Amino acid sequence: METNVDKKISRRELGKGLAAVAVASIAGGNAGAAQSTTHHAGEWTRVAPGIWKTVIGEPEAITPVKSRLVAAKEGEAFAGACPLPAIEGTVRNRGVELALPLLADEELFGFGLQFFSLAQRNHKVTIRVNADPKADSGDSHAPVPFYVSTRGYGVLVDTARYATFYCGQCHKKPTEAMAPLENQGKPVELAPVATPPKSEVLVEVPTARGVEVYVFAGPTVLDVVRRYNMFSGGGVMPPEWGLGFLYRTESNATSEDVLKTVREFREREIPCDILGLEPGWHTHAYSCTYAWNHARFPDPKGFVSEMGALNMRVNLWEHAFVHPSSPLFTPMKDHAGDYGVWGGLVPDFQSAEARKIFGGYHGRELVEIGISGFKLDECDNSDFSGSWSFPEVSQFGSGVDGEQMHNLFGLRYQKTIWEQYQTRGKETYGLVRSSGALAAPYPFVLYSDLYNHRQFVRALVTSGFSGVLWCPEVRDAVSEEDLIRRLQVVVFSPLAMINGWYIKNPPWKQMDHEKNNRGELAENWHALESRCREIIGWRMQMVPYLQAAFAKYAMDGTPPFRALAMDWPEVKAFAHVDDAWMVGDRVLVAPLFAGEKGRKLTLPEGEWHDFWTGARVAGGKPMEIPASTRNIPMFVKSGTVLPLATVTGSTAEAKRRQLTVNVYGDGREKFEAKTPGGELLRCIWNGSSGQVESTGFTPKFDVVNWKQFA
Amino acid sequence: METNVDKKISRRELGKGLAAVAVASIAGGNAGAAQSTTHHAGEWTRVAPGIWKTVIGEPEAITPVKSRLVAAKEGEAFAGACPLPAIEGTVRNRGVELALPLLADEELFGFGLQFFSLAQRNHKVTIRVNADPKADSGDSHAPVPFYVSTRGYGVLVDTARYATFYCGQCHKKPTEAMAPLENQGKPVELAPVATPPKSEVLVEVPTARGVEVYVFAGPTVLDVVRRYNMFSGGGVMPPEWGLGFLYRTESNATSEDVLKTVREFREREIPCDILGLEPGWHTHAYSCTYAWNHARFPDPKGFVSEMGALNMRVNLWEHAFVHPSSPLFTPMKDHAGDYGVWGGLVPDFQSAEARKIFGGYHGRELVEIGISGFKLDECDNSDFSGSWSFPEVSQFGSGVDGEQMHNLFGLRYQKTIWEQYQTRGKETYGLVRSSGALAAPYPFVLYSDLYNHRQFVRALVTSGFSGVLWCPEVRDAVSEEDLIRRLQVVVFSPLAMINGWYIKNPPWKQMDHEKNNRGELAENWHALESRCREIIGWRMQMVPYLQAAFAKYAMDGTPPFRALAMDWPEVKAFAHVDDAWMVGDRVLVAPLFAGEKGRKLTLPEGEWHDFWTGARVAGGKPMEIPASTRNIPMFVKSGTVLPLATVTGSTAEAKRRQLTVNVYGDGREKFEAKTPGGELLRCIWNGSSGQVESTGFTPKFDVVNWKQFA
């Protein structure tokens, strides 16, 4: 990464400024009577290169870090001192309170997947897992108690509690009287006072008697995130087929229906690698049995194998709540929380034994017959639309209560399933509706039942700050434009998926649900299908580039999808650009939204190329992109060497290894995908001709065409 | 009240059913490891007629009941046993957990002012004060930890904490395996299991090591609410002028502007008793100084007295956060929380000394010169749109933290101001943006910056269950229809108000804000003004009836405004009627909403009359009321004697005591207003002629016209 905020800020100055704030926050003191209040000075102890920890009071036994199930990996070396001075912690009856320094020019990002905002300064953020946030409160499918500052450091508060972060808007009470303003005329109405130059991030961890806090050094913002991701265990490297296309069929589809859909996809050349089954494969759903409904799937093993012969992997929907008729009920009965959900058990996934029983069944019965992955539904919670999950007061044998379990449940559920692939040396890449801290290595992508397209894009932009992956899935659309714009976005996300769980035919055949399910297809469906086929084709072309981006995620923690503010934190305006993102290091995507009048975009400084035409575009200047623009606006940094695969029906087809390599400008930046498995694809442009190196990939990559865009 | 659910339910049966649930919930037990967990059996001790209390663990020192500032009044006698069996409480590190029995047929109401729902069964309700709730989570300007069951009892959990109530949707885990459902065909998808016949209300009180719980007996639902209101100190009896009309002028208006508006109201015969000033009267607002801006109000005392000569009372806007330039800053500095808001102090209103200083200033400087009341703004909190208030971790010298203070702040602020009127033997009736438990005697009406009309009406319907009053204020409108429909609602609420804080002219002159402030009046404004004048006139006519309703509130706790479900709990459908309400015992209002296609309404069983025509309408039958209906649909119980005052410019005019008395059907139910001050108005119809009795009112009431509607 070329940007380095550290260059602009003297570390001594930063340390000095922050230290002064920390002292002020201690001096601010507290009135009040709570007898058991204790104050703690949080000195930093180095625990890894560029990572420090402090212990305030007596931390809880079960936290994201302490009960981690994936070992940390070491990040980049870092010779400097801890970027933060000692912090002050206070333990009271109500929990732990931390005051972390915050300077006037700092912006904050992170806190996991966020639908409502990117920049978090002056926000009150509660790390509380919820499926249906209605406001910018922090609630999310995947809230993470981790934030990153534009000053080039990050803070992880290691708790599974519903911690609250007040990001700079709380100020100690004023102490100096001012002269009366009598007769000075017009009062300043409804205008809050100016933000003081120094502030604090105030954190409250409820219930706990102590907490551990980690600080991650940069020097750059991207370095901070890399370090956090490596500390999490490194980013996930999905299997190649996971980067293809995923289509989920209607919930009540039978094996015959599904095979018919797949054969039609193959016939009509709709690329697809994974086929997802929704609740109907269970004998009972809500709660679940994890037992095949033989009326619909008389021969599950045969079905999966027939799908395999069509180069199609099978992904299964489920949630974790075990119905009394499930074969898992009796073995899980004593490994569940004291409250049920939808008449089913809530597995105590914090317990290794519970994971072993629940996962073991999945391994033997489902992974063994070839199921490639799962969609783990309903593992979040809901305070804002209905209230269906287990209460926060629930108790689990592992020692956590319902509050902690809500924040841990998604990640522990993922590990329960993932373990079954790991022990068999198999790869998986699935979906999950909840995640949390230290999620980077987990082969699961988040999704939601919400559907606001701007929120979906914002979630993608925010996700990269906290080691979570997000799928802005396509279900239906209000117009052809909406379908196209949504599909154009999802193919540039971690998981390219259409979720047709309530429609019998793909949405391009008929967008009206009822007509779709009655089989009344739209008149122009061939044209729309063709448009969608083309867009899915883009995804297939991008697979090698995505592999390179994910390989970096695995090797050094660089998020494959990230906000402009992560790469260019020094550009203040980018702190609020929540509708454009980087795919890897070289490609910038800035989608259009149906029903809007085009969009504005200012590319980062430097030379860029329009992906679709190859034409040069100068950064740093505001552009207007009209709504009529056919393809998704996409820009490539000048100097890029960008290999594009041949579009095939699935990633299993050898033909896709035949590359067209686009060279932008002088092509000085070589393309390199170097996976943790030791595979290598390298494309180098020497100014007039190119060379390709492919090792470990079977069959190997080859270039059939070099295309230069001056 | 004629309805009595008790008649239908044998108390023994109720006791038996509930006892069984309580035992089951104990047996449900808990897994989990928290060492400090203690279990408590909550036996009930009688504390007043029909009121019992239990103590679980070691309750906190500062709670709504323990730190109450208004003494309880004794309600109706009650000879029966406690309607609930002993409950089970558990004290854990995270707080107190209570399991209260709940039978299959019970519906629950209450929890304070609620914008999103009336019936609360299966809801998760958090008692957390917030100005901008976006979802049905319990958050509200005035959440109250009190619920009422259709089985004829109520429960108050005496805490200022953000308690969470799970109202029946949480169920202990299943324990019995079922046979596999193999090949039974279609699974029941997305359909939660049926609700078990017995359930519980699960309550969590965070942080506390104990809590006191009160049970209020009925026998009827209305009796429960009455008993709770009397326990709160009895309902407020507003001054007569408080039941007139209130108009708030534009924020930057000068005394000249205000007087001009008032003179025009008098000239144009717009009834108005109270004129509200918005922030501009302060020398600085946000935060506040409570000091007159002499550039706008050069002679405050003279201004108030000139207003008085026009029969107009003055109400002043403020919030509680003390600006450093305020004369209150130095005296309040050591009686404030450790955090500030908008650069001002947060008064520790839980401390008597703080109330004395803050209130004393208001008394000397403002009440003494004749200010009739205040509008206490911003005393709630906001987690859902911005985050501007003090953090929950704040500490106050009185011993409460920020969480408790948020739930207590509004009510303590009210008392701070009210006290100044009480010690001077003066009446007041004002506005406040937050309230809480035991609020019935406080002379303040809630309002909001939100503006959804259905939510505003729903809030009015819910408010009566918890001893709070609500003003669905009119600010602006999207259409004439909207303005009219909103005004038609507010005149049948506790406080009839138009809040023109951002418009220089009344909304009927011009609904477009910008044009309004430029003085460009609408072409048809005379016609719309005339329509609005007529509607405000309805309010003036209803004052004697409202006095009777409020007098009952004060004397026996009967809420003057209430849900149909409160008077007819046995009608299951009424549990969801959140768009119609009773005004007093005899009048039912069912408003129309702008932009909707009319409405449905089923009147309660019995004979009714259309208020506008006097025509008989049979209850128990669904009606369609078309959107074109001119006036607000309003129905009077047959047998009612309903006195209507003469419309005057203010309640100070003697002429308004000249009544027209409407007699509906046989007029067998006499009208009686018997105030706590000993005044009496009685109108009796003997079948062919009427008689009126008026004592204590000066001048006295007299009837000029009896009108019978057969």
Side-chain angles (χ1 to χ4, degrees):
Chain A
M1 255 303 305
E2 45 287 270
T3 311
N4 188 332
V5 286
D6 193 47
K7 286 171 194 157
K8 297 185 187 162
I9 304 163
S10 136
R11 188 172 313 281
R12 221 173 111 205
E13 182 200 339
L14 173 65
K16 249 166 55 187
L18 295 175
V21 175
V23 170
S25 86
I26 297 166
N30 78 320
Q35 292 109 328
S36 72
T37 301
T38 57
H39 295 276
H40 305 262
E43 301 286 345
W44 298 106
T45 306
R46 186 181 172 281
V47 292
I51 307 179
W52 294 262
K53 179 172 108 165
T54 191
V55 184
I56 303 288
E58 296 160 34
E60 295 185 288
I62 298 175
T63 68
V65 176
K66 286 189 185 175
S67 66
R68 63 187 305 156
L69 298 174
V70 179
K73 286 188 176 156
E74 197 166 292
E76 282 263 300
F78 187 83
C82 180
L84 287 187
I87 61 167
E88 190 68 3
T90 307
V91 180
R92 303 183 201 277
N93 286 338
R94 54 182 292 118
V96 182
E97 177 188 331
L98 305 171
L100 290 138
L102 184 69
L103 296 183
D105 66 353
E106 285 182 85
E107 187 50 88
L108 304 179
F109 303 102
F111 299 120
L113 188 80
Q114 290 295 333
F115 284 100
F116 292 89
S117 60
L118 171 61
Q120 298 297 338
R121 186 163 185 142
N122 294 334
H123 292 206
K124 180 178 180 181
V125 182
T126 300
I127 305 303
R128 182 174 46 203
V129 73
N130 261 308
D132 302 292
K134 298 276 188 288
D136 191 17
S137 55
D139 295 270
S140 154
H141 295 292
V144 178
F146 173 65
Y147 66 82
V148 187
S149 162
T150 46
R151 283 258 178 178
Y153 67 89
V155 173
L156 171 68
V157 177
D158 182 28
T159 181
R161 298 268 165 216
Y162 293 171
T164 296
F165 292 71
Y166 298 87
C167 299
Q169 72 272 43
C170 294
H171 299 286
K172 288 280 153 59
K173 70 174 179 184
T175 53
E176 295 298 318
M178 284 170 57
L181 298 172
E182 191 59 75
N183 285 335
Q184 295 195 356
K186 204 175 162 180
V188 186
E189 273 144 29
L190 307 177
V193 288
T195 304
K198 288 168 185 172
S199 188
E200 61 189 14
V201 175
L202 192 63
V203 186
E204 179 169 32
V205 182
T207 303
R209 307 297 303 162
V211 73
E212 296 183 356
V213 184
Y214 292 82
V215 168
F216 297 81
T220 69
V221 166
L222 183 51
D223 288 331
V224 173
V225 175
R226 283 184 181 123
R227 211 175 285 283
Y228 168 76
N229 286 339
M230 293 309 283
F231 179 74
S232 303
V236 59
M237 177 75 224
E240 284 188 288
W241 52 262
L243 298 176
F245 195 74
L246 193 164
Y247 187 88
R248 307 199 74 85
T249 48
E250 199 264 338
S251 189
N252 290 327
T254 63
S255 51
E256 264 178 60
D257 297 332
V258 174
L259 282 161
K260 192 175 151 233
T261 298
V262 171
R263 287 193 193 102
E264 193 181 310
F265 276 16
R266 292 293 176 247
E267 225 163 77
R268 304 194 61 77
E269 296 183 348
I270 307 292
C272 193
D273 270 271
I274 316 166
L275 206 295
L277 303 185
E278 290 285 314
W281 74 271
H282 294 256
T283 50
H284 186 276
Y286 283 62
S287 44
C288 284
T289 56
Y290 322 96
W292 288 95
N293 182 317
H294 287 164
R296 292 189 184 132
F297 295 87
D299 174 16
K301 199 174 166 179
F303 165 73
V304 175
S305 125
E306 210 166 337
M307 292 285 277
L310 290 160
N311 289 330
M312 191 68 82
R313 283 174 170 79
V314 178
N315 175 294
L316 295 182
W317 172 97
E318 64 170 56
H319 64 55
F321 311 118
V322 183
H323 189 258
S325 74
S326 168
L328 266 170
F329 184 83
T330 300
M332 286 300 294
K333 212 171 60 171
D334 297 329
H335 302 280
D338 54 346
Y339 281 84
V341 173
W342 291 313
L345 300 171
V346 180
D348 182 1
F349 287 139
Q350 184 58 32
S351 130
E353 185 63 17
R355 290 197 300 273
K356 201 175 132 189
I357 298 168
F358 190 97
Y361 171 89
H362 282 71
R364 287 188 309 275
E365 302 293 327
L366 303 167
V367 178
E368 288 284 353
I369 68 164
I371 296 302
S372 75
F374 292 83
K375 171 183 171 182
L376 310 179
D377 206 11
E378 315 286 9
C379 49
D380 33 39
N381 190 12
S382 187
D383 291 326
F384 304 114
S385 96
S387 165
W388 46 259
S389 199
F390 52 90
E392 272 82 10
V393 297
S394 297
Q395 298 288 318
F396 291 84
S398 59
V400 295
D401 61 29
E403 173 191 359
Q404 295 166 299
M405 188 53 112
H406 276 303
N407 272 353
L408 292 167
F409 200 70
L411 206 64
R412 298 287 169 266
Y413 188 10
Q414 289 169 56
K415 190 62 169 80
T416 302
I417 299 298
W418 181 20
E419 237 156 38
Q420 298 303 318
Y421 290 93
Q422 291 178 296
T423 57
R424 288 172 176 82
K426 287 189 177 187
E427 288 184 301
T428 185
Y429 195 55
L431 288 148
V432 68
R433 217 173 70 188
S434 180
S435 203
L438 310 186
Y442 288 72
F444 287 87
V445 181
L446 290 156
Y447 67 96
S448 181
D449 283 0
L450 302 177
Y451 207 50
N452 178 295
H453 200 207
R454 281 208 162 262
Q455 287 179 13
F456 266 33
V457 167
R458 192 177 296 120
L460 182 51
V461 173
T462 61
S463 63
F465 281 106
S466 313
V468 294
L469 299 176
W470 163 248
C471 168
E473 71 174 43
V474 180
R475 289 196 294 270
D476 56 15
V478 294
S479 62
E480 289 197 8
E481 185 197 11
D482 190 33
L483 181 66
I484 286 164
R485 295 310 186 194
R486 286 178 179 273
L487 197 59
Q488 287 180 345
V489 163
V490 82
V491 298
F492 294 104
S493 82
L495 184 62
M497 175 169 84
I498 290 177
N499 179 7
W501 76 265
Y502 49 76
I503 45 176
K504 290 188 178 163
N505 294 287
W508 53 74
K509 287 191 172 178
Q510 176 56 266
M511 288 191 297
D512 180 302
H513 305 173
E514 289 176 17
K515 288 185 183 167
N516 186 305
N517 286 328
R518 284 199 303 268
E520 296 168 27
L521 305 189
E523 274 186 30
N524 62 344
W525 76 265
H526 281 95
L528 188 55
E529 181 201 51
S530 162
R531 198 73 201 278
C532 293
R533 180 192 296 112
E534 179 194 358
I535 296 167
I536 299 169
W538 302 343
R539 174 68 173 202
M540 301 307 283
Q541 292 186 290
M542 289 293 283
V543 169
Y545 180 78
L546 291 173
Q547 285 178 291
F550 272 103
K552 281 195 77 176
Y553 192 34
M555 304 294 271
D556 72 6
T558 305
F561 300 88
R562 41 193 206 264
L564 305 193
M566 199 186 304
D567 287 25
W568 293 275
E570 72 283 6
V571 182
K572 292 224 178 286
F574 286 173
H576 302 284
V577 175
D578 55 4
D579 58 0
W581 66 97
M582 294 298 294
V583 180
D585 292 342
R586 316 290 309 173
V587 174
L588 188 154
V589 174
L592 291 158
F593 299 86
E596 296 189 5
K597 289 177 186 162
R599 63 165 294 156
K600 292 178 198 303
L601 177 69
T602 301
L603 291 171
E605 291 283 353
E607 282 296 317
W608 296 79
H609 294 259
D610 181 308
F611 173 81
W612 305 104
T613 64
R616 273 185 189 264
V617 185
K621 289 175 193 165
M623 297 189 285
E624 295 280 345
I625 303 174
S628 58
T629 308
R630 184 180 189 273
N631 294 339
I632 188 168
M634 199 169 141
F635 303 89
V636 185
K637 281 186 192 169
S638 196
T640 298
V641 174
L642 178 62
L644 298 173
T646 303
V647 178
T648 52
S650 81
T651 58
E653 292 181 44
K655 195 177 149 206
R656 75 179 190 89
R657 303 271 193 200
Q658 304 300 309
L659 304 174
T660 295
V661 182
N662 285 0
V663 176
Y664 297 93
D666 60 11
R668 69 189 178 279
E669 298 283 342
K670 68 169 185 282
F671 171 85
E672 189 177 86
K674 204 172 174 182
T675 74
E679 297 142 317
L680 176 77
L681 169 62
R682 196 178 277 150
C683 303
I684 299 175
W685 180 253
N686 68 14
S688 54
S689 69
Q691 65 181 82
V692 62
E693 197 180 332
S694 169
T695 54
F697 288 105
T698 316
K700 66 177 195 162
F701 284 98
D702 205 0
V703 178
V704 293
N705 196 9
W706 295 85
K707 265 196 192 167
Q708 200 183 3
F709 300 98
Chain B
M1 258 300 305
E2 45 284 271
T3 311
N4 189 332
V5 289
D6 193 47
K7 287 171 193 155
K8 298 185 185 161
I9 304 162
S10 135
R11 188 171 312 281
R12 219 174 113 202
E13 181 200 340
L14 173 65
K16 248 166 56 184
L18 295 174
V21 175
V23 170
S25 84
I26 297 166
N30 78 320
Q35 292 110 327
S36 74
T37 302
T38 57
H39 296 276
H40 306 262
E43 301 286 345
W44 299 105
T45 307
R46 187 180 172 283
V47 292
I51 307 178
W52 294 261
K53 179 172 105 166
T54 191
V55 184
I56 303 287
E58 296 160 35
E60 293 186 288
I62 299 175
T63 68
V65 176
K66 286 189 184 176
S67 66
R68 64 186 304 156
L69 299 174
V70 179
K73 287 187 176 156
E74 198 167 291
E76 283 261 300
F78 187 83
C82 180
L84 287 188
I87 60 166
E88 190 68 4
T90 307
V91 180
R92 304 185 201 275
N93 287 338
R94 54 182 292 118
V96 182
E97 178 187 331
L98 306 170
L100 290 138
L102 184 70
L103 296 183
D105 66 353
E106 285 182 86
E107 186 51 88
L108 305 179
F109 303 102
F111 298 119
L113 188 81
Q114 290 294 333
F115 284 100
F116 291 88
S117 60
L118 170 61
Q120 298 298 338
R121 185 164 185 142
N122 293 334
H123 291 206
K124 180 179 180 182
V125 182
T126 300
I127 305 303
R128 183 173 46 203
V129 71
N130 261 308
D132 303 291
K134 299 274 190 285
D136 192 16
S137 55
D139 294 270
S140 154
H141 294 291
V144 178
F146 173 66
Y147 66 83
V148 188
S149 161
T150 46
R151 282 258 179 180
Y153 66 90
V155 174
L156 171 69
V157 177
D158 183 29
T159 180
R161 298 266 165 218
Y162 293 171
T164 296
F165 292 72
Y166 298 87
C167 299
Q169 73 272 43
C170 293
H171 300 286
K172 288 280 155 55
K173 69 175 180 182
T175 51
E176 296 297 320
M178 286 170 56
L181 299 172
E182 191 60 77
N183 285 337
Q184 294 197 356
K186 203 174 163 179
V188 184
E189 273 144 29
L190 307 177
V193 289
T195 304
K198 287 170 187 173
S199 187
E200 60 189 12
V201 176
L202 191 63
V203 186
E204 179 169 34
V205 182
T207 303
R209 307 297 303 162
V211 72
E212 295 183 356
V213 183
Y214 291 82
V215 168
F216 298 80
T220 70
V221 166
L222 183 51
D223 288 332
V224 174
V225 175
R226 282 183 182 125
R227 210 176 286 283
Y228 168 77
N229 286 340
M230 293 310 282
F231 179 73
S232 303
V236 59
M237 177 75 225
E240 284 189 286
W241 52 262
L243 298 176
F245 194 72
L246 193 164
Y247 187 87
R248 305 199 74 86
T249 48
E250 197 266 338
S251 190
N252 291 326
T254 63
S255 50
E256 264 177 61
D257 298 333
V258 175
L259 283 161
K260 194 176 149 230
T261 298
V262 171
R263 287 193 193 103
E264 193 179 311
F265 276 18
R266 292 295 175 245
E267 225 164 78
R268 302 195 62 77
E269 296 183 347
I270 307 292
C272 192
D273 269 89
I274 317 166
L275 205 293
L277 303 185
E278 289 285 314
W281 73 272
H282 293 255
T283 52
H284 187 277
Y286 283 64
S287 43
C288 284
T289 56
Y290 322 97
W292 287 95
N293 181 317
H294 287 164
R296 291 188 185 133
F297 294 87
D299 174 17
K301 199 175 166 181
F303 165 73
V304 175
S305 129
E306 210 167 337
M307 293 284 277
L310 291 160
N311 288 330
M312 191 69 83
R313 283 175 170 77
V314 179
N315 175 293
L316 295 182
W317 172 96
E318 63 170 57
H319 65 55
F321 310 118
V322 183
H323 189 258
S325 74
S326 168
L328 265 170
F329 184 83
T330 301
M332 286 300 294
K333 211 171 63 173
D334 298 329
H335 302 280
D338 54 346
Y339 281 85
V341 174
W342 292 313
L345 301 171
V346 180
D348 182 1
F349 286 138
Q350 184 57 33
S351 130
E353 185 63 16
R355 290 197 301 273
K356 200 175 132 191
I357 298 168
F358 190 97
Y361 172 89
H362 282 71
R364 287 188 309 275
E365 303 292 327
L366 303 167
V367 178
E368 288 285 350
I369 68 164
I371 297 302
S372 76
F374 292 83
K375 172 182 170 182
L376 309 179
D377 206 11
E378 314 287 7
C379 50
D380 32 41
N381 190 13
S382 186
D383 291 326
F384 304 115
S385 95
S387 166
W388 47 259
S389 199
F390 53 89
E392 271 83 11
V393 297
S394 297
Q395 297 290 317
F396 291 84
S398 60
V400 295
D401 61 30
E403 174 191 358
Q404 294 166 298
M405 188 54 110
H406 276 303
N407 272 354
L408 292 168
F409 200 70
L411 206 64
R412 297 289 169 265
Y413 189 10
Q414 291 170 55
K415 190 63 168 82
T416 303
I417 298 297
W418 180 22
E419 236 157 37
Q420 298 302 318
Y421 289 92
Q422 291 179 294
T423 57
R424 287 172 176 80
K426 288 189 175 188
E427 288 183 300
T428 185
Y429 195 55
L431 288 148
V432 68
R433 218 171 71 188
S434 179
S435 203
L438 311 187
Y442 288 71
F444 287 88
V445 181
L446 290 156
Y447 66 96
S448 182
D449 284 0
L450 302 177
Y451 207 52
N452 178 296
H453 200 205
R454 281 209 162 261
Q455 287 180 12
F456 266 33
V457 167
R458 192 178 294 120
L460 182 52
V461 173
T462 61
S463 63
F465 281 107
S466 312
V468 295
L469 299 176
W470 163 248
C471 168
E473 70 173 42
V474 180
R475 289 195 295 269
D476 55 17
V478 295
S479 63
E480 289 197 7
E481 184 197 12
D482 190 33
L483 182 66
I484 287 164
R485 294 311 186 194
R486 286 179 179 272
L487 197 58
Q488 288 181 345
V489 163
V490 82
V491 298
F492 294 103
S493 83
L495 184 62
M497 175 169 83
I498 289 178
N499 179 7
W501 75 266
Y502 49 75
I503 44 175
K504 290 189 179 162
N505 293 287
W508 53 74
K509 286 190 172 177
Q510 175 56 266
M511 287 191 299
D512 180 301
H513 305 173
E514 290 176 16
K515 287 185 185 168
N516 186 304
N517 285 329
R518 284 199 303 269
E520 295 168 28
L521 305 188
E523 273 185 33
N524 62 343
W525 76 265
H526 281 95
L528 188 55
E529 182 202 50
S530 162
R531 198 71 202 277
C532 292
R533 180 192 297 113
E534 179 194 357
I535 295 167
I536 299 171
W538 302 344
R539 173 68 171 202
M540 301 306 284
Q541 292 186 290
M542 288 294 282
V543 170
Y545 180 78
L546 291 173
Q547 285 178 290
F550 272 104
K552 280 194 77 174
Y553 193 33
M555 305 292 274
D556 72 6
T558 306
F561 299 87
R562 41 192 205 263
L564 305 192
M566 198 186 305
D567 287 25
W568 294 275
E570 71 283 7
V571 182
K572 290 223 180 289
F574 286 173
H576 302 283
V577 175
D578 56 3
D579 58 0
W581 65 96
M582 293 300 293
V583 180
D585 292 341
R586 316 289 309 174
V587 174
L588 187 154
V589 175
L592 292 158
F593 298 87
E596 296 188 4
K597 289 179 186 160
R599 63 165 295 157
K600 293 180 197 301
L601 177 68
T602 301
L603 291 171
E605 292 283 354
E607 282 297 317
W608 296 79
H609 295 259
D610 182 306
F611 172 80
W612 305 103
T613 64
R616 275 186 186 263
V617 185
K621 291 177 191 162
M623 297 189 284
E624 293 280 345
I625 303 174
S628 59
T629 307
R630 184 180 189 273
N631 294 339
I632 188 168
M634 199 169 142
F635 303 88
V636 184
K637 281 186 192 168
S638 197
T640 297
V641 175
L642 177 63
L644 298 172
T646 302
V647 178
T648 52
S650 83
T651 58
E653 292 182 43
K655 196 177 149 203
R656 77 180 189 86
R657 303 273 191 198
Q658 304 300 311
L659 304 173
T660 294
V661 182
N662 286 358
V663 177
Y664 297 93
D666 60 12
R668 68 187 177 280
E669 298 282 342
K670 70 168 182 284
F671 171 84
E672 188 176 85
K674 204 172 174 180
T675 73
E679 297 142 317
L680 177 77
L681 170 62
R682 195 178 279 148
C683 304
I684 299 175
W685 180 253
N686 68 14
S688 55
S689 69
Q691 66 181 85
V692 62
E693 194 181 334
S694 168
T695 53
F697 288 104
T698 315
K700 65 176 197 163
F701 284 98
D702 204 2
V703 177
V704 293
N705 195 10
W706 294 86
K707 266 194 190 168
Q708 199 183 3
F709 301 98

